[in-house]
Amino acid sequence: MTKIAILTNGCSFHNRFFEMEEYQNLYDDIIHIQDLAETSLSAYDTLIVTERLSIPHLKRNQGKLIRFANEGKRLLIFGEVLDHWFPTIDWKESDVNFSWWVKPQGDLPLVERNQMHTLYEYVTLKDMKWHYHGTFQPPEGALSLVDNDEGRSIFYIDRVSFKGELIVTSLDPIFHIGLGFIDQTKPFLHGLTNWLRGRDTDVHK
């Protein structure tokens, strides 16, 4: 059975999120980012890097995170990837459209890619539409699942850069669930949880 750890800053939105029973199937253990350097990750198949973590702590633990991905494990990164804290990720900040859904016939232009991927058995494009803070250029051979209208990704899966699987998305569901707004984030996170739990722990099968 897949064993999942999740990183936290210990900030208020994280604490409220972890108090919510309906999301506790997402993770097995919580690791404070300040304790990451001294914490063994050998028992875990998946490590979730939540949004808005301390960049200095992430950069300090960059080598450990890379080793985790190179051990055949799954590393899932939410939110912004600022200051090149993870070296293989090509991040570009973008304007955030916070109000498209209140405008007449408003839309957030996003495009499904690689629609046969198993994630789409658990989530829809609608589940991933609220806003995004930036975009990525996936490395050659990686799979983008959602692109913006400029052809840059907001959700991709990289099985070429490491022995394991790197999942990268600029979506920020835990932040919004913890703060108690943007309900659109809830079906996405439930679906993502079911996908993570439903997959074989050997990410190359």
Side-chain angles (χ1 to χ4, degrees):
M1 181 178 179
T2 299
K3 190 167 184 181
I4 300 175
I6 189 168
L7 296 178
T8 180
N9 265 344
C11 52
S12 59
F13 75 85
H14 277 162
N15 293 339
R16 284 193 292 270
F17 175 80
F18 293 133
E19 290 171 358
M20 299 179 188
E21 186 175 351
E22 68 176 297
Y23 301 105
Q24 290 175 2
N25 190 44
L26 174 63
Y27 55 89
D28 298 291
D29 293 314
I30 301 168
I31 301 171
H32 198 288
I33 188 68
Q34 293 181 352
D35 300 326
L36 178 58
E38 292 77 33
T39 300
S40 172
L41 300 177
S42 61
Y44 303 110
D45 306 290
T46 298
L47 178 65
I48 298 174
V49 179
T50 53
E51 52 269 52
R52 293 167 175 79
L53 291 179
S54 162
I55 300 300
H57 279 96
L58 288 170
K59 295 186 80 170
R60 196 171 300 132
N61 287 280
Q62 182 185 94
K64 187 166 191 169
L65 296 172
I66 291 172
R67 285 194 299 273
F68 184 82
N70 262 327
E71 290 169 354
K73 308 294 186 75
R74 177 187 289 122
L75 184 64
L76 168 57
I77 297 173
F78 282 119
E80 301 161 309
V81 183
L82 303 174
D83 200 20
H84 303 288
W85 72 258
F86 200 87
T88 68
I89 296 177
D90 180 347
W91 160 265
K92 181 181 178 182
E93 193 167 356
S94 61
D95 293 334
V96 183
N97 187 341
F98 289 108
S99 60
W100 63 269
W101 59 86
V102 299
K103 297 178 181 178
Q105 300 179 330
D107 190 25
L108 183 67
L110 294 175
V111 180
E112 292 181 5
R113 301 294 186 197
N114 295 291
Q115 295 170 324
M116 298 305 293
H117 194 277
T118 55
L119 180 70
Y120 281 117
E121 298 173 16
Y122 298 89
V123 301
T124 67
L125 182 63
K126 180 182 177 182
D127 296 334
M128 293 183 271
K129 274 193 177 188
W130 58 91
H131 61 245
Y132 55 88
H133 293 255
T135 60
F136 309 99
Q137 182 59 55
E140 185 175 355
L143 295 179
S144 179
L145 299 189
V146 183
D147 285 356
N148 72 351
D149 55 347
E150 297 178 348
R152 285 181 61 90
S153 181
I154 69 163
F155 192 117
Y156 74 90
I157 297 178
D158 178 3
R159 292 187 177 182
V160 296
S161 300
F162 305 96
K163 294 179 181 178
E165 182 175 69
L166 179 65
I167 305 168
V168 184
T169 178
S170 53
L171 298 176
D172 53 356
I174 293 172
F175 174 76
H176 289 291
I177 290 169
L179 287 181
F181 71 101
I182 304 188
D183 287 346
Q184 192 71 11
T185 59
K186 296 178 180 180
F188 167 74
L189 196 60
H190 284 306
L192 183 69
T193 298
N194 291 333
W195 178 70
L196 292 172
R197 293 297 188 182
R199 294 282 307 280
D200 193 288
T201 57
D202 182 348
V203 298
H204 293 290
K205 287 188 177 180

